[in-house]
Amino acid sequence: MGSQLLSTVERREVLPVSYIRPESDRPRLAEVTTDSNVPLIDLASPDKQRVIAEIGLACRTYGFFQVINHGIEGELLEKMMAVGLQFFRLPPEEKEKLYSDEPSKKIRLSTSFNVRKETVHNWRDYLRLHCHPLEEFLPEWPTNPESFKEIVSEYCREVRQLGLRLLGMISLSLGLEEDYIEKALGEQEQHMAVNYYPQCPEPELTYGLPKHTDPNALTVLLQDPSVAGLQVLKDGGRWIAVNPRPNAFVINLGDQLQALSNGAYKSVWHRAVVNAAQERMSVASFLCPCSSAVISPAAGLVRDGDAPVYRSYTYDEYYNKFWSRNLDQEHCLELFRSAQQLE
């Protein structure tokens, strides 16, 4: 029911019990730090080898990086954020048309993460859209706001090209052919989550999204330019805030790149926290292997005589396993370690 949506309810003064995390699983916001060394990569640099080396270092040490001068106009990023916010401010009866809590539905408006399974909810509404092939899914997209389809489809095209370009650089940084990862992933699907995090009366008791990794290959995240919320887990269990930068994207490595790299690169644990003073938006675009793609560590990254870290599996198998679990359980990739690694 669309009545579950946070964006249809007047601002609350007290956090409902169904959103309150156990004391052992709260964000402890006072302990979160910033990191001045968060990788920031200028894609317009003429020194391409340096850019590739910087990407490789970021993938090994952080599992994510930010990119600037990426070729997507700032005006389009502003329009994407604005039309997303307009959507969440539509009347309840308009949003009700798109509401669903069925995870397999490719166009849906929902809340939290997986309300059918979870025991504690997350302070988030989101619009999930499949985006490729665009002509297949566009007719089912929202028609309100009026400019929604035009703006979001242009954004999706641009982000897809950026994502494929980055996959080529990540391939090269691993010492593989530039098109290795793109070929390994097959005809990649693309979908997006337009996330809305309302003002929260008690942000220290809940999450927008709890700790998780992304099950896909690569995530291109557009952050709200004025409200922070993304945090990533560094070695040693320390959470760091990734503050938004104007016209920058955050690039998260997903689980499939950790597998393809034989564990050399890491899929970053991250979470979204919420804010008592301001609502927040973000737009996450996911590049995903095609369902039938067989994922396994690249042969060139497995040393002679060693067992690969992960066994071969189809992306469909992985994705179904991911959705059958709670978001913040152990890393799903642990279930796909090769038999030799488990001995």
Side-chain angles (χ1 to χ4, degrees), residues 213-216 253-263 265-269 295-297 309-311 313 318 321-322 325 329-338 341-342:
T213 62
D214 290 342
N216 52 296
L253 268 64
D255 296 349
Q256 307 318 309
L257 290 187
Q258 180 167 325
L260 283 167
S261 72
N262 200 37
Y265 290 176
K266 58 183 184 178
S267 177
V268 64
W269 286 98
I295 306 297
S296 61
V309 175
Y310 305 106
R311 66 172 176 85
Y313 56 85
Y318 191 90
K321 177 63 73 175
F322 182 89
R325 306 159 73 250
Q329 281 182 253
E330 68 169 345
H331 203 309
C332 191
L333 264 180
E334 291 299 310
L335 305 175
F336 292 82
R337 284 188 172 271
S338 64
Q341 290 285 327
L342 296 172

Side-chain angles (χ1 to χ4, degrees), residues 18-121:
S18 61
Y19 291 87
I20 297 176
R21 293 267 161 183
E23 194 161 345
S24 61
D25 182 29
R26 291 179 183 173
R28 303 187 183 189
L29 299 173
E31 298 175 14
V32 175
T33 60
T34 56
D35 184 342
S36 59
N37 297 316
V38 165
L40 179 66
I41 295 172
D42 183 353
L43 293 183
S45 168
D47 189 345
K48 298 306 177 190
Q49 291 307 311
R50 180 178 173 182
V51 170
I52 290 164
E54 288 176 348
I55 287 175
L57 181 60
C59 292
R60 282 193 301 276
T61 57
Y62 280 82
F64 82 102
F65 50 93
Q66 295 190 82
V67 294
I68 54 173
N69 295 323
H70 40 66
I72 302 179
E73 292 293 332
E75 183 182 5
L76 179 57
L77 308 188
E78 291 171 9
K79 286 180 177 178
M80 179 67 239
M81 278 294 189
V83 80
L85 188 56
Q86 288 167 27
F87 173 83
F88 283 103
R89 288 182 173 164
L90 290 173
E93 60 273 14
E94 190 70 25
K95 289 185 285 191
E96 179 77 39
K97 298 174 187 175
L98 285 165
Y99 184 84
S100 173
D101 57 15
E102 170 49 61
S104 64
K105 195 169 181 188
K106 294 188 173 183
I107 313 290
R108 65 189 176 100
L109 172 64
S110 198
T111 191
S112 189
F113 176 71
N114 188 351
V115 291
R116 292 186 176 186
K117 278 188 58 63
E118 63 201 17
T119 54
V120 182
H121 298 323

Side-chain angles (χ1 to χ4, degrees), residues 169-208:
M169 293 180 176
I170 292 169
S171 273
L172 290 170
S173 74
L174 284 163
L176 303 170
E177 294 294 322
E178 185 171 2
D179 61 356
Y180 180 89
I181 292 177
E182 187 175 346
K183 284 181 175 178
L185 300 177
E187 180 57 32
Q188 290 173 68
E189 295 185 8
Q190 179 184 354
H191 50 96
M192 70 191 302
V194 184
N195 299 307
Y196 176 72
Y197 305 97
Q199 289 173 276
C200 179
E202 298 175 279
E204 67 281 359
L205 301 182
T206 193
Y207 292 105

Side-chain angles (χ1 to χ4, degrees), residues 25-30 32 122-124 195-200 202-212 223-224 227-232 239-243 270-276 278-282:
D25 182 29
R26 291 179 183 173
R28 303 187 183 189
L29 299 173
V32 175
N122 304 296
W123 198 255
R124 172 185 83 137
N195 299 307
Y196 176 72
Y197 305 97
Q199 289 173 276
C200 179
E202 298 175 279
E204 67 281 359
L205 301 182
T206 193
Y207 292 105
L209 276 175
K211 179 182 80 167
H212 65 285
Q223 292 207 80
D224 190 312
V227 188
L230 174 66
Q231 297 177 354
V232 301
W239 285 98
I240 62 170
V242 183
N243 293 323
H270 56 289
R271 66 187 188 182
V273 297
V274 288
N275 192 292
Q278 293 175 280
E279 63 190 357
R280 175 177 174 262
M281 293 276 302
S282 72

